[in-house]
Amino acid sequence: MTKYILKRIAYMILTLFIVATITFFLMKMMPGSPYTNEAKMTKTQLRIMNEQYGFNKPLWEQYVIYLAGLVHGDFGISFQYSNMPVSQLIGSRIGASAQLGLQAMIFGVFFGVIIGAIAAIKRNTWVDTTATVLSIIGKSVPNFVLAVLLQYYIALKLGWFPIAGWGTFSQTILPTIALGVGPLAETARFVRTSMVDTLTSDYIELATAKGLSLTQVIRKHALRNSMIPLVTLLGPYTVSLMTGSMVIENIFNIPGIGEQFVKSILTNDYPTIMGTTIVFSLGLVIVLLITDIVYSLIDPRIRLQGSDA
Amino acid sequence: MAEEAQAPQAKLTENAFEGLPKDEAQSAENIAGPSLSYMQNVWIRFKQKTSGVVSGIIVILMIVIAFGSTPFINKSTLVKSQPQYANLPAKIPGVNLNGLNGKIKQNGEWVDVYEKNNIPKDKYFIAGTDYLGRSLAQRIVYGTKISLIVALVAAFFDLTIGVIYGVISGWKGGAVDNVMQRIIEIVSSVPNLVIVILLLVVLKPGLKSIIIAIAISSWMTMARQVRAETLSLKNQEYVLAARSLGESSWKIAMKHLIPNLSSIIIIQTMYTIPSAIFFEAFLSFIGIGISAPETSLGVLLNEGQKNFQFLPYQMWYPAVVLCVLMIAFNLLGDGLRDAFDPKSAR
């Protein structure tokens, strides 16, 4: 097991290294400079600026400096906000994004499991059909469309929740729903399929035969086993939450890193773009690592496969 | 035990049995229907599910309308702005339904905008116009075309890169497989979208960049699934037979592997398509995808969102089209999955 985890961590570091490298060279290929807005600068000013940001050094040296900085958690200095370190900028915004992402994940998985389980138990009834239709819609409607509709109809027209902003719990509800519906639909579909499989298996029949009530069968036998494979979806969910956060945070005006990322792209703020990319990748890689570990802990068959590969 | 098990013996005489005429006995052995090929069976199962069939028809209709419109709706017609017709709601002659007759709700009252702005009586826009007086219907059709192009491109890369990568990895096995799988493992733990966004920033935003981005990011799941299936297929007897008869690997792949992989390939392609469509709409929505003079559903949504409070139709129409497109592809995928793999339809 330890060997397996160590191997995973080695991959993780390799992945991050690759991301950092790709990001660095892509940014260097980017057309235009961060100063294009200040076209009136003189040659000397430009030289001084280049020296200050280290752009006068050869490319490989910039690369090494950049990597060395990363190891120390130093992402450079943002061009956008007068000389604010990127790490500080990201640090001040990551909390909102993490909270939103976590809330959306919990919301999606919790209701997804419930809806999926009910649909499986009431298989081929109107309940099942309704759940299927809802999950198809939830899967198909883009989250940014849903966000705009929720914001307008629930917040503005009905006035149930604040329209935008961040701080109080009621402000987090609409963005959480908008962001969580995708995972919810996916979970519901997944749990339904997996639960139908479980419910038709022999040990469920045995459990019923030995006289357990339906609730006990579901709770103790069916649900647990149907939820194990759900762990593998954590990675894809994280990706979709990160993607979603970029627009949802924009629509609801939430000071998170997704919103920051889009803003820094539109303003050519390289260090922030690079820093955010690394943070996103780090987040995903950690989630994938946790997924693998948790999965191998709860399902020994995976562990065996992993150790001989 | 043995005593209990003994059933009372029935007394049978010869009369208890009735001889059947000879031909009837034989006909019981007969195979009734014509024997169906795998694809015929799939087709029969597919036809049974209404949602799949309807989605298929919707998808085909959209493809016909979007691509058939090219002579009438293209880049040159898209840029024609007519400021005198700006922000007109939908008006369909003969339809007297508020919202579709040139009226829009302003301060709680339905106002005929066409009359108010002195638009000629015979002028109408079936889906209204945008802030530059461009026909929204035309723009939506064009946007749908972009979405469909993106879908086709994603399917193409799935079918080429994804399938070839998967088959080679599974077929070769050993060290080659190991290296190829490690590459996929690393590439897929990089958040694709972030890299793709960076790529779009470096390249010029537009359809070409989006296509490159899809080429990089869409084929991994397909490659994994094809590899897993190839691994189990290559140990089948018929493959062994082909091998021992001296068939080349290429021929085995084309004649034996690909046909047997077809169900997985088709199903996975159908799942790649909606995510590619979402991807394009998403990028265009945040402003780094398709850009003017071209348009796409994502761009339209972004434009519509700004005026949503006053001109809701400008967002509703593209939103509905995008959702219908996504739902149709998802349902078509489900229908095909159930048709190819009846076990999944329960």
PDB file of all heavy atoms in Angstrom, chain A residues 113-126:
ATOM      1  N   VAL A 113     -27.596  10.887  -4.952  1.00  0.00           N
ATOM      2  CA  VAL A 113     -27.716   9.535  -4.409  1.00  0.00           C
ATOM      3  C   VAL A 113     -29.170   9.248  -4.044  1.00  0.00           C
ATOM      4  O   VAL A 113     -29.717   8.194  -4.379  1.00  0.00           O
ATOM      5  CB  VAL A 113     -26.808   9.360  -3.175  1.00  0.00           C
ATOM      6  CG1 VAL A 113     -27.160   8.084  -2.431  1.00  0.00           C
ATOM      7  CG2 VAL A 113     -25.356   9.320  -3.602  1.00  0.00           C
ATOM      8  N   ILE A 114     -29.810  10.218  -3.393  1.00  0.00           N
ATOM      9  CA  ILE A 114     -31.202  10.005  -2.993  1.00  0.00           C
ATOM     10  C   ILE A 114     -32.091   9.766  -4.209  1.00  0.00           C
ATOM     11  O   ILE A 114     -32.816   8.776  -4.295  1.00  0.00           O
ATOM     12  CB  ILE A 114     -31.724  11.215  -2.182  1.00  0.00           C
ATOM     13  CG1 ILE A 114     -30.994  11.268  -0.834  1.00  0.00           C
ATOM     14  CG2 ILE A 114     -33.230  11.124  -1.981  1.00  0.00           C
ATOM     15  CD1 ILE A 114     -31.423  12.402   0.026  1.00  0.00           C
ATOM     16  N   ILE A 115     -31.974  10.667  -5.195  1.00  0.00           N
ATOM     17  CA  ILE A 115     -32.827  10.549  -6.380  1.00  0.00           C
ATOM     18  C   ILE A 115     -32.521   9.251  -7.129  1.00  0.00           C
ATOM     19  O   ILE A 115     -33.434   8.518  -7.535  1.00  0.00           O
ATOM     20  CB  ILE A 115     -32.645  11.780  -7.294  1.00  0.00           C
ATOM     21  CG1 ILE A 115     -33.190  13.016  -6.590  1.00  0.00           C
ATOM     22  CG2 ILE A 115     -33.357  11.576  -8.633  1.00  0.00           C
ATOM     23  CD1 ILE A 115     -32.934  14.311  -7.310  1.00  0.00           C
ATOM     24  N   GLY A 116     -31.245   8.948  -7.275  1.00  0.00           N
ATOM     25  CA  GLY A 116     -30.865   7.731  -7.992  1.00  0.00           C
ATOM     26  C   GLY A 116     -31.376   6.485  -7.291  1.00  0.00           C
ATOM     27  O   GLY A 116     -31.899   5.565  -7.934  1.00  0.00           O
ATOM     28  N   ALA A 117     -31.250   6.471  -5.960  1.00  0.00           N
ATOM     29  CA  ALA A 117     -31.682   5.290  -5.203  1.00  0.00           C
ATOM     30  C   ALA A 117     -33.194   5.114  -5.304  1.00  0.00           C
ATOM     31  O   ALA A 117     -33.683   4.006  -5.550  1.00  0.00           O
ATOM     32  CB  ALA A 117     -31.262   5.431  -3.745  1.00  0.00           C
ATOM     33  N   ILE A 118     -33.926   6.219  -5.155  1.00  0.00           N
ATOM     34  CA  ILE A 118     -35.384   6.113  -5.253  1.00  0.00           C
ATOM     35  C   ILE A 118     -35.789   5.620  -6.633  1.00  0.00           C
ATOM     36  O   ILE A 118     -36.645   4.734  -6.779  1.00  0.00           O
ATOM     37  CB  ILE A 118     -36.050   7.477  -4.943  1.00  0.00           C
ATOM     38  CG1 ILE A 118     -35.823   7.826  -3.469  1.00  0.00           C
ATOM     39  CG2 ILE A 118     -37.545   7.438  -5.259  1.00  0.00           C
ATOM     40  CD1 ILE A 118     -36.318   9.185  -3.080  1.00  0.00           C
ATOM     41  N   ALA A 119     -35.127   6.169  -7.666  1.00  0.00           N
ATOM     42  CA  ALA A 119     -35.452   5.760  -9.033  1.00  0.00           C
ATOM     43  C   ALA A 119     -35.200   4.263  -9.212  1.00  0.00           C
ATOM     44  O   ALA A 119     -35.981   3.569  -9.865  1.00  0.00           O
ATOM     45  CB  ALA A 119     -34.632   6.556 -10.040  1.00  0.00           C
ATOM     46  N   ALA A 120     -34.115   3.758  -8.607  1.00  0.00           N
ATOM     47  CA  ALA A 120     -33.795   2.337  -8.774  1.00  0.00           C
ATOM     48  C   ALA A 120     -34.805   1.460  -8.034  1.00  0.00           C
ATOM     49  O   ALA A 120     -35.216   0.413  -8.528  1.00  0.00           O
ATOM     50  CB  ALA A 120     -32.390   2.060  -8.278  1.00  0.00           C
ATOM     51  N   ILE A 121     -35.203   1.888  -6.838  1.00  0.00           N
ATOM     52  CA  ILE A 121     -36.150   1.089  -6.058  1.00  0.00           C
ATOM     53  C   ILE A 121     -37.504   1.062  -6.747  1.00  0.00           C
ATOM     54  O   ILE A 121     -38.154   0.032  -6.852  1.00  0.00           O
ATOM     55  CB  ILE A 121     -36.280   1.656  -4.627  1.00  0.00           C
ATOM     56  CG1 ILE A 121     -34.934   1.540  -3.914  1.00  0.00           C
ATOM     57  CG2 ILE A 121     -37.356   0.916  -3.853  1.00  0.00           C
ATOM     58  CD1 ILE A 121     -34.816   2.407  -2.696  1.00  0.00           C
ATOM     59  N   LYS A 122     -37.924   2.218  -7.238  1.00  0.00           N
ATOM     60  CA  LYS A 122     -39.213   2.309  -7.933  1.00  0.00           C
ATOM     61  C   LYS A 122     -38.988   2.163  -9.432  1.00  0.00           C
ATOM     62  O   LYS A 122     -39.566   2.903 -10.233  1.00  0.00           O
ATOM     63  CB  LYS A 122     -39.876   3.663  -7.648  1.00  0.00           C
ATOM     64  CG  LYS A 122     -39.990   4.000  -6.190  1.00  0.00           C
ATOM     65  CD  LYS A 122     -41.390   3.830  -5.717  1.00  0.00           C
ATOM     66  CE  LYS A 122     -41.440   4.057  -4.212  1.00  0.00           C
ATOM     67  NZ  LYS A 122     -42.595   3.442  -3.594  1.00  0.00           N
ATOM     68  N   ARG A 123     -38.164   1.229  -9.796  1.00  0.00           N
ATOM     69  CA  ARG A 123     -37.798   1.067 -11.194  1.00  0.00           C
ATOM     70  C   ARG A 123     -39.028   0.869 -12.066  1.00  0.00           C
ATOM     71  O   ARG A 123     -39.965   0.160 -11.717  1.00  0.00           O
ATOM     72  CB  ARG A 123     -36.885  -0.149 -11.309  1.00  0.00           C
ATOM     73  CG  ARG A 123     -36.432  -0.480 -12.686  1.00  0.00           C
ATOM     74  CD  ARG A 123     -35.118  -1.191 -12.617  1.00  0.00           C
ATOM     75  NE  ARG A 123     -35.117  -2.258 -11.624  1.00  0.00           N
ATOM     76  CZ  ARG A 123     -35.128  -3.549 -11.945  1.00  0.00           C
ATOM     77  NH1 ARG A 123     -35.111  -3.909 -13.185  1.00  0.00           N
ATOM     78  NH2 ARG A 123     -35.105  -4.469 -11.007  1.00  0.00           N
ATOM     79  N   ASN A 124     -38.975   1.528 -13.261  1.00  0.00           N
ATOM     80  CA  ASN A 124     -40.044   1.413 -14.263  1.00  0.00           C
ATOM     81  C   ASN A 124     -41.407   1.892 -13.778  1.00  0.00           C
ATOM     82  O   ASN A 124     -42.433   1.393 -14.200  1.00  0.00           O
ATOM     83  CB  ASN A 124     -40.163  -0.024 -14.776  1.00  0.00           C
ATOM     84  CG  ASN A 124     -38.905  -0.455 -15.495  1.00  0.00           C
ATOM     85  OD1 ASN A 124     -38.177   0.391 -16.001  1.00  0.00           O
ATOM     86  ND2 ASN A 124     -38.642  -1.734 -15.508  1.00  0.00           N
ATOM     87  N   THR A 125     -41.416   2.850 -12.861  1.00  0.00           N
ATOM     88  CA  THR A 125     -42.675   3.512 -12.516  1.00  0.00           C
ATOM     89  C   THR A 125     -42.543   4.969 -12.934  1.00  0.00           C
ATOM     90  O   THR A 125     -41.505   5.381 -13.456  1.00  0.00           O
ATOM     91  CB  THR A 125     -42.944   3.470 -11.010  1.00  0.00           C
ATOM     92  OG1 THR A 125     -41.901   4.198 -10.367  1.00  0.00           O
ATOM     93  CG2 THR A 125     -42.955   2.047 -10.495  1.00  0.00           C
ATOM     94  N   TRP A 126     -43.571   5.748 -12.662  1.00  0.00           N
ATOM     95  CA  TRP A 126     -43.497   7.158 -13.044  1.00  0.00           C
ATOM     96  C   TRP A 126     -42.392   7.891 -12.267  1.00  0.00           C
ATOM     97  O   TRP A 126     -41.810   8.852 -12.741  1.00  0.00           O
ATOM     98  CB  TRP A 126     -44.849   7.847 -12.854  1.00  0.00           C
ATOM     99  CG  TRP A 126     -45.309   7.927 -11.421  1.00  0.00           C
ATOM    100  CD1 TRP A 126     -46.060   7.003 -10.772  1.00  0.00           C
ATOM    101  CD2 TRP A 126     -45.021   8.951 -10.485  1.00  0.00           C
ATOM    102  NE1 TRP A 126     -46.257   7.389  -9.480  1.00  0.00           N
ATOM    103  CE2 TRP A 126     -45.625   8.582  -9.268  1.00  0.00           C
ATOM    104  CE3 TRP A 126     -44.299  10.153 -10.541  1.00  0.00           C
ATOM    105  CZ2 TRP A 126     -45.528   9.359  -8.121  1.00  0.00           C
ATOM    106  CZ3 TRP A 126     -44.208  10.933  -9.398  1.00  0.00           C
ATOM    107  CH2 TRP A 126     -44.819  10.532  -8.213  1.00  0.00           C
TER     108      TRP A 126
END
